[in-house]
Amino acid sequence: MDDLLRELGDRPRRAAWGAYWVAPRSRFETQQPDEKVVLMLRQHPVTMLGQVMTIILMTMVPVAVAVMWPAVGQMVIPARFIAAAGILWYLLVTAFAVEKFLGWYYSVFLVTNMRLVDIDFINLVYHEITTANLEHVEEPKMHTAGVLESMFDFGTVRITTASKEPTIEASGVPWPNKVVDIISRLSRRET
Amino acid sequence: MEDWVWLVVKWMFALAFGIYSVFTMVVIKQVRVMNLAVEVEHGKVLEKLAWIYMLAALLLLLTVVVIL
């Protein structure tokens, strides 16, 4: 592994709050005995900014309702029902946050010395695993678009393959140019 | 308001209790499944947190049912 990393011009490290991990200790379900994980990627945490803002806004809804509609307190609705509704609301917010966090945390893109493995946690009841052998990699490319992507240096890596799955994509990953470089080098070694 | 309205509301809260219980169990199950699919850095911790989340949520929902 050390030789491989030296060849790729990198070293074992973890960066971007765990979104970019070179030579992780991770293993995955269909890993072959001589297969080594070179890179583990997940979306840059900045991509979660929208969801974090939504959650913050959702936590403020009961306060906003109380401020904008003071009559709620004086209405015929008993206090215990208002308390119950409040608890239920915050449980819903928690459920939303849990689902979004798990979706981010478990959606990983692995680059091994043999293949690419894209694990997508779509929602709580559906996840998808796509693999592509490095020898089938034809054209890895990347793009960054927008202010946040340029500022924090993350973007989308799209790999065209000659296998059944024509493209495999890792969106919002840190240092996409470096990722493309590593995939290209590994692919050249395999072919 | 009429008594039957409160009864309906109570049943709706009870239904929410049931649905949320299932949701928290699905969370635990899915964390386990994903930990098997890929070994991430804090997978085991997340599994424990999912259990704590389920127990805390059920306790809160039980409180709701009791106060109603």
Side-chain angles (χ1 to χ4, degrees), chain A residues 26-27 29 80 88 91 106, chain B residues 13 20 30 35 37 39 67:
Chain A
S26 305
R27 295 190 61 77
E29 209 174 10
R80 63 180 197 275
L88 270 184
L91 281 174
Y106 282 109
Chain B
F13 276 113
Y20 207 91
Q30 205 53 20
N35 280 344
E39 206 177 85
I67 63 171

Side-chain angles (χ1 to χ4, degrees), chain A residues 99 103 107 120-128, chain B residues 26 30 34:
Chain A
E99 215 244 353
S107 291
D120 283 326
F121 185 102
I122 313 286
N123 58 45
L124 269 181
V125 288
Y126 182 67
H127 72 271
E128 199 176 73
Chain B
V26 172
Q30 205 53 20
M34 291 311 290

Side-chain angles (χ1 to χ4, degrees), chain A residues 14-183:
Chain A
R14 199 166 161 236
W17 297 296
Y20 186 92
W21 199 353
V22 183
R25 291 181 298 275
S26 305
R27 295 190 61 77
F28 59 97
E29 209 174 10
T30 55
Q31 191 167 351
Q32 304 297 312
D34 50 349
E35 191 173 13
K36 290 182 177 75
V37 181
V38 178
L39 208 56
M40 187 172 94
L41 306 163
R42 58 167 67 94
Q43 286 194 320
H44 197 289
V46 171
T47 58
M48 296 293 287
L49 214 60
Q51 267 104 14
V52 171
M53 293 300 286
T54 308
I55 292 161
I56 291 170
L57 286 177
M58 283 169 85
T59 56
M60 287 180 193
V61 165
V63 182
V65 168
V67 172
M68 287 158 60
W69 195 19
V72 167
Q74 296 137 28
M75 277 172 61
V76 285
I77 302 171
R80 63 180 197 275
F81 277 101
I82 294 172
I87 291 173
L88 270 184
W89 174 258
Y90 283 113
L91 281 174
L92 282 176
V93 176
T94 314
F96 178 76
V98 165
E99 215 244 353
K100 292 295 167 201
F101 173 75
L102 292 178
W104 171 75
Y105 198 74
Y106 282 109
S107 291
V108 290
F109 188 86
L110 303 169
V111 180
T112 76
N113 57 340
M114 292 179 180
R115 57 189 167 151
L116 307 171
V117 183
D118 183 20
I119 301 172
D120 283 326
F121 185 102
I122 313 286
N123 58 45
L124 269 181
V125 288
Y126 182 67
H127 72 271
E128 199 176 73
I129 301 176
T130 315
T131 61
N133 286 340
L134 281 173
E135 63 212 47
H136 293 150
V137 167
E138 285 187 341
E139 198 185 333
K141 55 184 176 185
M142 54 75 70
H143 66 85
T144 54
V147 178
L148 277 181
E149 292 195 7
S150 304
M151 267 174 72
F152 292 94
D153 201 2
F154 66 92
T156 302
V157 174
R158 190 172 288 129
I159 302 118
T160 311
T161 68
S163 58
K164 271 185 192 169
E165 198 71 42
T167 54
I168 189 163
E169 193 179 279
S171 60
V173 292
W175 303 298
N177 47 350
K178 184 76 189 157
V179 176
V180 166
D181 181 46
I182 289 175
I183 293 171

